[in-house]
Amino acid sequence: MKIKDILQNNKVTVSFEVFPPKEWAKLADTKKVIEQMVRFNPAFMSVTYGASGTTSGYTTEIANAIMKGGVTPLSHLTCLTSSREKIDSVLDELEDNGVENILALRGDIPKDFVESKGQDFHHAYELIDIIRARGGFCIGGACYPETHPESKNRVEDIAMLKHKVDCGLDFLTTQMFFDNEKLYEFREMCAIKEINVPIIAGIMPITNAAQIKRSIELSNCSLPKKFEKIMERFGDNPDAMKQAGIIYATEQIIDLMANGINNIHIYTMNKPDIAEKIMKGLSSIIDE
Ligand code: FAD
């Protein structure tokens, strides 16, 4: 099923993200994780793609496992370090496997990356152009409520986003954020710029102190005082931190829904217990 159809009617949807293993030997473990997660009835499940393209084979395998569990898969695809031929072959593979949804991304710039003249891709919109011209896929893209770390300012970031959406995106998924006010401001900016595709809010449940440091470094997002206090109080107690992180994420989702954001994507980090606890915390809300 196409995600743009799942998002129709403004119904509440909760979806999950998984990442592929780094080596084939671990594929069976990841498939077990998926078997457990599909039981919680996500609206769809996304599978990430290594920026260097090294895990591309696993992405299709994982998408197949998600479909086998009766859930719609969304395959991420990055382009910066890929050739046009490589992208065409991944698109062929996804199509042959019945994967209908792609999150089209540039990918983070690898540390040792040097721009070359013959480089086929520089930005996500070039990948979106190719997928749209080929036809048949529902296409999503990434957006950043607190602006992309490489953007000079928010005005430039939103202008680039508008261009990207106009290249043929069907929906957007946000970078993680911990302060819902940031998303509400971003939603207004998008409305002013006539970015009218559905925006799926990406929620990262922070369940340990090391994870928050890594997440903030990667995403450039801010931490509200309330969350800092939770870290100060429970950061050294793994069980307490996990419980508090799950409750914080659940409360964030409830507030988003109360403010009319009906589509939530949870960065479940291959942890079925976290997906389960959040879904239990929302059971009557999702069935409303
Ligand atoms: P772009 O849309 O190309 O934007 C990157 C920067 O370039 C921005 O600053 C933008 O404003 C600017 N820009 C865009 N277009 C232009 C233009 N025409 N001219 C000049 N500047 C421009 N990474 C992975 O490696 N694998 C994944 O699976 C993955 N999944 C993700 C899922 C989500 C929901 C999100 C939010 C991010 C994900 N990422 C993933 C990270 C992502 O690859 C990085 O954030 C990357 O730095 C930017 O990707 P993008 O597609 O947003 O790039």
Side-chain angles (χ1 to χ4, degrees), residues 171-203:
F171 65 93
L172 289 165
T173 306
T174 76
Q175 179 61 283
M176 69 183 89
F177 56 92
F178 301 99
D179 179 352
N180 287 357
E181 291 305 321
K182 305 282 181 202
L183 187 77
Y184 303 143
E185 285 163 21
F186 176 72
R187 177 174 60 168
E188 268 178 30
M189 290 284 287
C190 288
I192 291 166
K193 285 283 169 195
E194 296 185 4
I195 295 171
N196 294 323
V197 293
I199 298 173
I200 304 176
I203 296 295

PDB file of all heavy atoms in Angstrom, residues 171-203:
ATOM      1  N   PHE A 171       4.998  13.112   1.114  1.00  0.00           N
ATOM      2  CA  PHE A 171       4.922  13.382   2.555  1.00  0.00           C
ATOM      3  C   PHE A 171       6.326  13.699   3.072  1.00  0.00           C
ATOM      4  O   PHE A 171       7.323  13.477   2.372  1.00  0.00           O
ATOM      5  CB  PHE A 171       4.327  12.182   3.328  1.00  0.00           C
ATOM      6  CG  PHE A 171       5.175  10.938   3.291  1.00  0.00           C
ATOM      7  CD1 PHE A 171       6.086  10.668   4.289  1.00  0.00           C
ATOM      8  CD2 PHE A 171       5.051  10.019   2.251  1.00  0.00           C
ATOM      9  CE1 PHE A 171       6.874   9.521   4.254  1.00  0.00           C
ATOM     10  CE2 PHE A 171       5.849   8.869   2.205  1.00  0.00           C
ATOM     11  CZ  PHE A 171       6.748   8.619   3.205  1.00  0.00           C
ATOM     12  N   LEU A 172       6.360  14.245   4.288  1.00  0.00           N
ATOM     13  CA  LEU A 172       7.634  14.550   4.947  1.00  0.00           C
ATOM     14  C   LEU A 172       7.682  13.848   6.295  1.00  0.00           C
ATOM     15  O   LEU A 172       6.639  13.705   6.951  1.00  0.00           O
ATOM     16  CB  LEU A 172       7.757  16.054   5.197  1.00  0.00           C
ATOM     17  CG  LEU A 172       7.965  16.947   3.973  1.00  0.00           C
ATOM     18  CD1 LEU A 172       7.705  18.409   4.329  1.00  0.00           C
ATOM     19  CD2 LEU A 172       9.376  16.776   3.408  1.00  0.00           C
ATOM     20  N   THR A 173       8.866  13.439   6.712  1.00  0.00           N
ATOM     21  CA  THR A 173       9.052  12.942   8.083  1.00  0.00           C
ATOM     22  C   THR A 173      10.078  13.844   8.753  1.00  0.00           C
ATOM     23  O   THR A 173      11.104  14.171   8.150  1.00  0.00           O
ATOM     24  CB  THR A 173       9.557  11.483   8.102  1.00  0.00           C
ATOM     25  OG1 THR A 173       8.673  10.674   7.329  1.00  0.00           O
ATOM     26  CG2 THR A 173       9.616  10.936   9.520  1.00  0.00           C
ATOM     27  N   THR A 174       9.800  14.231   9.997  1.00  0.00           N
ATOM     28  CA  THR A 174      10.706  15.173  10.655  1.00  0.00           C
ATOM     29  C   THR A 174      11.880  14.467  11.328  1.00  0.00           C
ATOM     30  O   THR A 174      11.782  13.304  11.740  1.00  0.00           O
ATOM     31  CB  THR A 174       9.999  16.006  11.750  1.00  0.00           C
ATOM     32  OG1 THR A 174       9.802  15.194  12.921  1.00  0.00           O
ATOM     33  CG2 THR A 174       8.701  16.601  11.263  1.00  0.00           C
ATOM     34  N   GLN A 175      12.936  15.233  11.446  1.00  0.00           N
ATOM     35  CA  GLN A 175      14.026  14.882  12.351  1.00  0.00           C
ATOM     36  C   GLN A 175      13.448  14.831  13.767  1.00  0.00           C
ATOM     37  O   GLN A 175      12.408  15.461  14.040  1.00  0.00           O
ATOM     38  CB  GLN A 175      15.101  15.977  12.241  1.00  0.00           C
ATOM     39  CG  GLN A 175      16.302  15.821  13.121  1.00  0.00           C
ATOM     40  CD  GLN A 175      17.061  14.546  12.832  1.00  0.00           C
ATOM     41  OE1 GLN A 175      16.613  13.477  13.260  1.00  0.00           O
ATOM     42  NE2 GLN A 175      18.166  14.634  12.128  1.00  0.00           N
ATOM     43  N   MET A 176      14.094  14.121  14.666  1.00  0.00           N
ATOM     44  CA  MET A 176      13.629  14.085  16.058  1.00  0.00           C
ATOM     45  C   MET A 176      13.622  15.484  16.669  1.00  0.00           C
ATOM     46  O   MET A 176      14.384  16.368  16.242  1.00  0.00           O
ATOM     47  CB  MET A 176      14.534  13.178  16.894  1.00  0.00           C
ATOM     48  CG  MET A 176      15.912  13.756  17.078  1.00  0.00           C
ATOM     49  SD  MET A 176      17.009  12.670  17.977  1.00  0.00           S
ATOM     50  CE  MET A 176      17.703  11.711  16.677  1.00  0.00           C
ATOM     51  N   PHE A 177      12.757  15.692  17.638  1.00  0.00           N
ATOM     52  CA  PHE A 177      12.721  16.947  18.404  1.00  0.00           C
ATOM     53  C   PHE A 177      12.146  16.594  19.774  1.00  0.00           C
ATOM     54  O   PHE A 177      11.416  15.609  19.906  1.00  0.00           O
ATOM     55  CB  PHE A 177      11.844  18.013  17.700  1.00  0.00           C
ATOM     56  CG  PHE A 177      10.447  17.536  17.438  1.00  0.00           C
ATOM     57  CD1 PHE A 177       9.428  17.767  18.352  1.00  0.00           C
ATOM     58  CD2 PHE A 177      10.156  16.798  16.300  1.00  0.00           C
ATOM     59  CE1 PHE A 177       8.151  17.289  18.134  1.00  0.00           C
ATOM     60  CE2 PHE A 177       8.869  16.309  16.072  1.00  0.00           C
ATOM     61  CZ  PHE A 177       7.873  16.564  16.982  1.00  0.00           C
ATOM     62  N   PHE A 178      12.502  17.383  20.774  1.00  0.00           N
ATOM     63  CA  PHE A 178      12.042  17.073  22.130  1.00  0.00           C
ATOM     64  C   PHE A 178      11.138  18.154  22.689  1.00  0.00           C
ATOM     65  O   PHE A 178      10.608  18.020  23.789  1.00  0.00           O
ATOM     66  CB  PHE A 178      13.248  16.839  23.048  1.00  0.00           C
ATOM     67  CG  PHE A 178      14.117  15.721  22.554  1.00  0.00           C
ATOM     68  CD1 PHE A 178      15.270  15.974  21.834  1.00  0.00           C
ATOM     69  CD2 PHE A 178      13.740  14.403  22.756  1.00  0.00           C
ATOM     70  CE1 PHE A 178      16.044  14.945  21.337  1.00  0.00           C
ATOM     71  CE2 PHE A 178      14.502  13.361  22.270  1.00  0.00           C
ATOM     72  CZ  PHE A 178      15.663  13.634  21.550  1.00  0.00           C
ATOM     73  N   ASP A 179      11.006  19.228  21.928  1.00  0.00           N
ATOM     74  CA  ASP A 179      10.181  20.353  22.355  1.00  0.00           C
ATOM     75  C   ASP A 179       9.093  20.543  21.288  1.00  0.00           C
ATOM     76  O   ASP A 179       9.388  20.989  20.167  1.00  0.00           O
ATOM     77  CB  ASP A 179      11.082  21.597  22.469  1.00  0.00           C
ATOM     78  CG  ASP A 179      10.309  22.836  22.880  1.00  0.00           C
ATOM     79  OD1 ASP A 179       9.065  22.775  22.926  1.00  0.00           O
ATOM     80  OD2 ASP A 179      10.959  23.865  23.131  1.00  0.00           O
ATOM     81  N   ASN A 180       7.861  20.185  21.622  1.00  0.00           N
ATOM     82  CA  ASN A 180       6.794  20.226  20.621  1.00  0.00           C
ATOM     83  C   ASN A 180       6.568  21.619  20.049  1.00  0.00           C
ATOM     84  O   ASN A 180       6.126  21.762  18.909  1.00  0.00           O
ATOM     85  CB  ASN A 180       5.489  19.686  21.215  1.00  0.00           C
ATOM     86  CG  ASN A 180       5.523  18.178  21.390  1.00  0.00           C
ATOM     87  OD1 ASN A 180       6.506  17.536  21.010  1.00  0.00           O
ATOM     88  ND2 ASN A 180       4.467  17.615  21.948  1.00  0.00           N
ATOM     89  N   GLU A 181       6.882  22.660  20.850  1.00  0.00           N
ATOM     90  CA  GLU A 181       6.687  24.024  20.342  1.00  0.00           C
ATOM     91  C   GLU A 181       7.480  24.229  19.045  1.00  0.00           C
ATOM     92  O   GLU A 181       7.057  24.956  18.159  1.00  0.00           O
ATOM     93  CB  GLU A 181       7.110  25.068  21.388  1.00  0.00           C
ATOM     94  CG  GLU A 181       6.210  25.125  22.610  1.00  0.00           C
ATOM     95  CD  GLU A 181       4.728  25.345  22.276  1.00  0.00           C
ATOM     96  OE1 GLU A 181       4.434  26.125  21.352  1.00  0.00           O
ATOM     97  OE2 GLU A 181       3.874  24.705  22.931  1.00  0.00           O
ATOM     98  N   LYS A 182       8.652  23.587  18.948  1.00  0.00           N
ATOM     99  CA  LYS A 182       9.482  23.716  17.738  1.00  0.00           C
ATOM    100  C   LYS A 182       8.721  23.179  16.529  1.00  0.00           C
ATOM    101  O   LYS A 182       8.807  23.724  15.438  1.00  0.00           O
ATOM    102  CB  LYS A 182      10.804  22.941  17.885  1.00  0.00           C
ATOM    103  CG  LYS A 182      11.601  23.314  19.099  1.00  0.00           C
ATOM    104  CD  LYS A 182      12.344  24.620  18.896  1.00  0.00           C
ATOM    105  CE  LYS A 182      13.157  24.973  20.126  1.00  0.00           C
ATOM    106  NZ  LYS A 182      13.470  26.379  20.229  1.00  0.00           N
ATOM    107  N   LEU A 183       8.003  22.095  16.748  1.00  0.00           N
ATOM    108  CA  LEU A 183       7.243  21.530  15.622  1.00  0.00           C
ATOM    109  C   LEU A 183       6.062  22.420  15.245  1.00  0.00           C
ATOM    110  O   LEU A 183       5.767  22.596  14.061  1.00  0.00           O
ATOM    111  CB  LEU A 183       6.753  20.119  15.937  1.00  0.00           C
ATOM    112  CG  LEU A 183       6.127  19.485  14.695  1.00  0.00           C
ATOM    113  CD1 LEU A 183       7.192  19.017  13.729  1.00  0.00           C
ATOM    114  CD2 LEU A 183       5.191  18.372  15.017  1.00  0.00           C
ATOM    115  N   TYR A 184       5.395  22.994  16.254  1.00  0.00           N
ATOM    116  CA  TYR A 184       4.232  23.839  15.945  1.00  0.00           C
ATOM    117  C   TYR A 184       4.672  25.076  15.149  1.00  0.00           C
ATOM    118  O   TYR A 184       4.000  25.479  14.202  1.00  0.00           O
ATOM    119  CB  TYR A 184       3.485  24.227  17.225  1.00  0.00           C
ATOM    120  CG  TYR A 184       3.021  23.017  18.032  1.00  0.00           C
ATOM    121  CD1 TYR A 184       3.038  23.015  19.424  1.00  0.00           C
ATOM    122  CD2 TYR A 184       2.606  21.857  17.384  1.00  0.00           C
ATOM    123  CE1 TYR A 184       2.650  21.891  20.150  1.00  0.00           C
ATOM    124  CE2 TYR A 184       2.218  20.729  18.106  1.00  0.00           C
ATOM    125  CZ  TYR A 184       2.248  20.762  19.479  1.00  0.00           C
ATOM    126  OH  TYR A 184       1.866  19.646  20.180  1.00  0.00           O
ATOM    127  N   GLU A 185       5.840  25.643  15.514  1.00  0.00           N
ATOM    128  CA  GLU A 185       6.375  26.798  14.758  1.00  0.00           C
ATOM    129  C   GLU A 185       6.707  26.369  13.327  1.00  0.00           C
ATOM    130  O   GLU A 185       6.409  27.073  12.356  1.00  0.00           O
ATOM    131  CB  GLU A 185       7.674  27.321  15.394  1.00  0.00           C
ATOM    132  CG  GLU A 185       7.475  28.114  16.661  1.00  0.00           C
ATOM    133  CD  GLU A 185       8.789  28.232  17.441  1.00  0.00           C
ATOM    134  OE1 GLU A 185       9.888  28.076  16.861  1.00  0.00           O
ATOM    135  OE2 GLU A 185       8.698  28.471  18.664  1.00  0.00           O
ATOM    136  N   PHE A 186       7.337  25.213  13.204  1.00  0.00           N
ATOM    137  CA  PHE A 186       7.733  24.700  11.891  1.00  0.00           C
ATOM    138  C   PHE A 186       6.498  24.457  11.012  1.00  0.00           C
ATOM    139  O   PHE A 186       6.478  24.806   9.825  1.00  0.00           O
ATOM    140  CB  PHE A 186       8.531  23.405  12.093  1.00  0.00           C
ATOM    141  CG  PHE A 186       8.925  22.702  10.827  1.00  0.00           C
ATOM    142  CD1 PHE A 186       9.911  23.233  10.006  1.00  0.00           C
ATOM    143  CD2 PHE A 186       8.326  21.504  10.457  1.00  0.00           C
ATOM    144  CE1 PHE A 186      10.288  22.582   8.837  1.00  0.00           C
ATOM    145  CE2 PHE A 186       8.692  20.846   9.298  1.00  0.00           C
ATOM    146  CZ  PHE A 186       9.682  21.384   8.485  1.00  0.00           C
ATOM    147  N   ARG A 187       5.458  23.905  11.618  1.00  0.00           N
ATOM    148  CA  ARG A 187       4.211  23.645  10.879  1.00  0.00           C
ATOM    149  C   ARG A 187       3.647  24.961  10.312  1.00  0.00           C
ATOM    150  O   ARG A 187       3.196  25.005   9.174  1.00  0.00           O
ATOM    151  CB  ARG A 187       3.209  22.969  11.830  1.00  0.00           C
ATOM    152  CG  ARG A 187       1.851  22.715  11.223  1.00  0.00           C
ATOM    153  CD  ARG A 187       0.957  21.916  12.136  1.00  0.00           C
ATOM    154  NE  ARG A 187       0.686  22.527  13.435  1.00  0.00           N
ATOM    155  CZ  ARG A 187      -0.235  22.099  14.282  1.00  0.00           C
ATOM    156  NH1 ARG A 187      -0.969  21.040  13.975  1.00  0.00           N
ATOM    157  NH2 ARG A 187      -0.423  22.704  15.447  1.00  0.00           N
ATOM    158  N   GLU A 188       3.723  26.011  11.119  1.00  0.00           N
ATOM    159  CA  GLU A 188       3.233  27.321  10.649  1.00  0.00           C
ATOM    160  C   GLU A 188       4.059  27.844   9.485  1.00  0.00           C
ATOM    161  O   GLU A 188       3.524  28.325   8.499  1.00  0.00           O
ATOM    162  CB  GLU A 188       3.310  28.336  11.798  1.00  0.00           C
ATOM    163  CG  GLU A 188       2.026  28.417  12.587  1.00  0.00           C
ATOM    164  CD  GLU A 188       2.138  29.387  13.754  1.00  0.00           C
ATOM    165  OE1 GLU A 188       2.896  30.377  13.666  1.00  0.00           O
ATOM    166  OE2 GLU A 188       1.487  29.115  14.747  1.00  0.00           O
ATOM    167  N   MET A 189       5.388  27.702   9.617  1.00  0.00           N
ATOM    168  CA  MET A 189       6.281  28.157   8.527  1.00  0.00           C
ATOM    169  C   MET A 189       5.968  27.398   7.233  1.00  0.00           C
ATOM    170  O   MET A 189       5.958  27.980   6.154  1.00  0.00           O
ATOM    171  CB  MET A 189       7.753  27.902   8.891  1.00  0.00           C
ATOM    172  CG  MET A 189       8.294  28.752   9.981  1.00  0.00           C
ATOM    173  SD  MET A 189       8.652  30.417   9.423  1.00  0.00           S
ATOM    174  CE  MET A 189      10.108  30.174   8.439  1.00  0.00           C
ATOM    175  N   CYS A 190       5.740  26.098   7.362  1.00  0.00           N
ATOM    176  CA  CYS A 190       5.426  25.287   6.178  1.00  0.00           C
ATOM    177  C   CYS A 190       4.114  25.768   5.560  1.00  0.00           C
ATOM    178  O   CYS A 190       4.005  25.895   4.333  1.00  0.00           O
ATOM    179  CB  CYS A 190       5.317  23.806   6.546  1.00  0.00           C
ATOM    180  SG  CYS A 190       6.915  23.079   6.902  1.00  0.00           S
ATOM    181  N   ALA A 191       3.118  26.057   6.408  1.00  0.00           N
ATOM    182  CA  ALA A 191       1.819  26.510   5.890  1.00  0.00           C
ATOM    183  C   ALA A 191       1.991  27.844   5.149  1.00  0.00           C
ATOM    184  O   ALA A 191       1.444  28.033   4.057  1.00  0.00           O
ATOM    185  CB  ALA A 191       0.811  26.643   7.030  1.00  0.00           C
ATOM    186  N   ILE A 192       2.785  28.750   5.724  1.00  0.00           N
ATOM    187  CA  ILE A 192       3.015  30.065   5.083  1.00  0.00           C
ATOM    188  C   ILE A 192       3.664  29.868   3.709  1.00  0.00           C
ATOM    189  O   ILE A 192       3.330  30.536   2.743  1.00  0.00           O
ATOM    190  CB  ILE A 192       3.894  30.965   5.988  1.00  0.00           C
ATOM    191  CG1 ILE A 192       3.108  31.371   7.237  1.00  0.00           C
ATOM    192  CG2 ILE A 192       4.398  32.197   5.244  1.00  0.00           C
ATOM    193  CD1 ILE A 192       3.955  31.969   8.353  1.00  0.00           C
ATOM    194  N   LYS A 193       4.588  28.912   3.626  1.00  0.00           N
ATOM    195  CA  LYS A 193       5.306  28.660   2.358  1.00  0.00           C
ATOM    196  C   LYS A 193       4.554  27.706   1.425  1.00  0.00           C
ATOM    197  O   LYS A 193       5.091  27.250   0.417  1.00  0.00           O
ATOM    198  CB  LYS A 193       6.698  28.078   2.656  1.00  0.00           C
ATOM    199  CG  LYS A 193       7.656  29.100   3.164  1.00  0.00           C
ATOM    200  CD  LYS A 193       8.168  29.985   2.021  1.00  0.00           C
ATOM    201  CE  LYS A 193       8.924  31.190   2.516  1.00  0.00           C
ATOM    202  NZ  LYS A 193       9.103  32.209   1.477  1.00  0.00           N
ATOM    203  N   GLU A 194       3.332  27.376   1.803  1.00  0.00           N
ATOM    204  CA  GLU A 194       2.499  26.462   1.016  1.00  0.00           C
ATOM    205  C   GLU A 194       3.166  25.100   0.796  1.00  0.00           C
ATOM    206  O   GLU A 194       3.141  24.536  -0.290  1.00  0.00           O
ATOM    207  CB  GLU A 194       2.092  27.112  -0.302  1.00  0.00           C
ATOM    208  CG  GLU A 194       1.218  28.327  -0.027  1.00  0.00           C
ATOM    209  CD  GLU A 194       0.664  28.966  -1.294  1.00  0.00           C
ATOM    210  OE1 GLU A 194       0.894  28.444  -2.380  1.00  0.00           O
ATOM    211  OE2 GLU A 194      -0.003  30.000  -1.137  1.00  0.00           O
ATOM    212  N   ILE A 195       3.769  24.616   1.853  1.00  0.00           N
ATOM    213  CA  ILE A 195       4.251  23.225   1.866  1.00  0.00           C
ATOM    214  C   ILE A 195       3.090  22.437   2.449  1.00  0.00           C
ATOM    215  O   ILE A 195       2.858  22.461   3.664  1.00  0.00           O
ATOM    216  CB  ILE A 195       5.542  23.094   2.719  1.00  0.00           C
ATOM    217  CG1 ILE A 195       6.668  23.899   2.062  1.00  0.00           C
ATOM    218  CG2 ILE A 195       5.932  21.643   2.906  1.00  0.00           C
ATOM    219  CD1 ILE A 195       7.935  24.029   2.892  1.00  0.00           C
ATOM    220  N   ASN A 196       2.355  21.784   1.564  1.00  0.00           N
ATOM    221  CA  ASN A 196       1.047  21.260   1.989  1.00  0.00           C
ATOM    222  C   ASN A 196       0.976  19.738   2.126  1.00  0.00           C
ATOM    223  O   ASN A 196      -0.109  19.205   2.345  1.00  0.00           O
ATOM    224  CB  ASN A 196      -0.034  21.730   1.003  1.00  0.00           C
ATOM    225  CG  ASN A 196      -0.212  23.240   1.075  1.00  0.00           C
ATOM    226  OD1 ASN A 196      -0.127  23.822   2.148  1.00  0.00           O
ATOM    227  ND2 ASN A 196      -0.404  23.876  -0.080  1.00  0.00           N
ATOM    228  N   VAL A 197       2.102  19.041   1.967  1.00  0.00           N
ATOM    229  CA  VAL A 197       2.056  17.576   2.107  1.00  0.00           C
ATOM    230  C   VAL A 197       1.971  17.212   3.596  1.00  0.00           C
ATOM    231  O   VAL A 197       2.365  18.017   4.451  1.00  0.00           O
ATOM    232  CB  VAL A 197       3.306  16.909   1.462  1.00  0.00           C
ATOM    233  CG1 VAL A 197       3.303  17.085  -0.041  1.00  0.00           C
ATOM    234  CG2 VAL A 197       4.598  17.424   2.079  1.00  0.00           C
ATOM    235  N   PRO A 198       1.466  16.004   3.913  1.00  0.00           N
ATOM    236  CA  PRO A 198       1.427  15.610   5.339  1.00  0.00           C
ATOM    237  C   PRO A 198       2.829  15.604   5.955  1.00  0.00           C
ATOM    238  O   PRO A 198       3.789  15.196   5.307  1.00  0.00           O
ATOM    239  CB  PRO A 198       0.845  14.186   5.307  1.00  0.00           C
ATOM    240  CG  PRO A 198       0.165  14.058   3.992  1.00  0.00           C
ATOM    241  CD  PRO A 198       0.881  14.973   3.042  1.00  0.00           C
ATOM    242  N   ILE A 199       2.899  16.071   7.212  1.00  0.00           N
ATOM    243  CA  ILE A 199       4.177  16.075   7.943  1.00  0.00           C
ATOM    244  C   ILE A 199       4.071  15.054   9.075  1.00  0.00           C
ATOM    245  O   ILE A 199       3.233  15.201   9.972  1.00  0.00           O
ATOM    246  CB  ILE A 199       4.486  17.476   8.518  1.00  0.00           C
ATOM    247  CG1 ILE A 199       4.619  18.500   7.370  1.00  0.00           C
ATOM    248  CG2 ILE A 199       5.760  17.456   9.372  1.00  0.00           C
ATOM    249  CD1 ILE A 199       4.759  19.949   7.830  1.00  0.00           C
ATOM    250  N   ILE A 200       4.889  14.026   8.995  1.00  0.00           N
ATOM    251  CA  ILE A 200       4.886  12.983  10.030  1.00  0.00           C
ATOM    252  C   ILE A 200       5.918  13.376  11.083  1.00  0.00           C
ATOM    253  O   ILE A 200       7.082  13.653  10.747  1.00  0.00           O
ATOM    254  CB  ILE A 200       5.243  11.605   9.420  1.00  0.00           C
ATOM    255  CG1 ILE A 200       4.282  11.256   8.270  1.00  0.00           C
ATOM    256  CG2 ILE A 200       5.229  10.523  10.498  1.00  0.00           C
ATOM    257  CD1 ILE A 200       4.623   9.955   7.544  1.00  0.00           C
ATOM    258  N   ALA A 201       5.490  13.414  12.346  1.00  0.00           N
ATOM    259  CA  ALA A 201       6.397  13.848  13.425  1.00  0.00           C
ATOM    260  C   ALA A 201       7.264  12.680  13.896  1.00  0.00           C
ATOM    261  O   ALA A 201       6.746  11.640  14.310  1.00  0.00           O
ATOM    262  CB  ALA A 201       5.572  14.387  14.593  1.00  0.00           C
ATOM    263  N   GLY A 202       8.580  12.857  13.826  1.00  0.00           N
ATOM    264  CA  GLY A 202       9.521  11.810  14.251  1.00  0.00           C
ATOM    265  C   GLY A 202       9.851  11.940  15.729  1.00  0.00           C
ATOM    266  O   GLY A 202      10.361  12.968  16.165  1.00  0.00           O
ATOM    267  N   ILE A 203       9.557  10.902  16.492  1.00  0.00           N
ATOM    268  CA  ILE A 203       9.766  10.943  17.952  1.00  0.00           C
ATOM    269  C   ILE A 203      10.818   9.909  18.357  1.00  0.00           C
ATOM    270  O   ILE A 203      10.685   8.726  18.039  1.00  0.00           O
ATOM    271  CB  ILE A 203       8.441  10.645  18.698  1.00  0.00           C
ATOM    272  CG1 ILE A 203       7.408  11.735  18.409  1.00  0.00           C
ATOM    273  CG2 ILE A 203       8.668  10.481  20.201  1.00  0.00           C
ATOM    274  CD1 ILE A 203       7.765  13.117  18.926  1.00  0.00           C
TER     275      ILE A 203
END
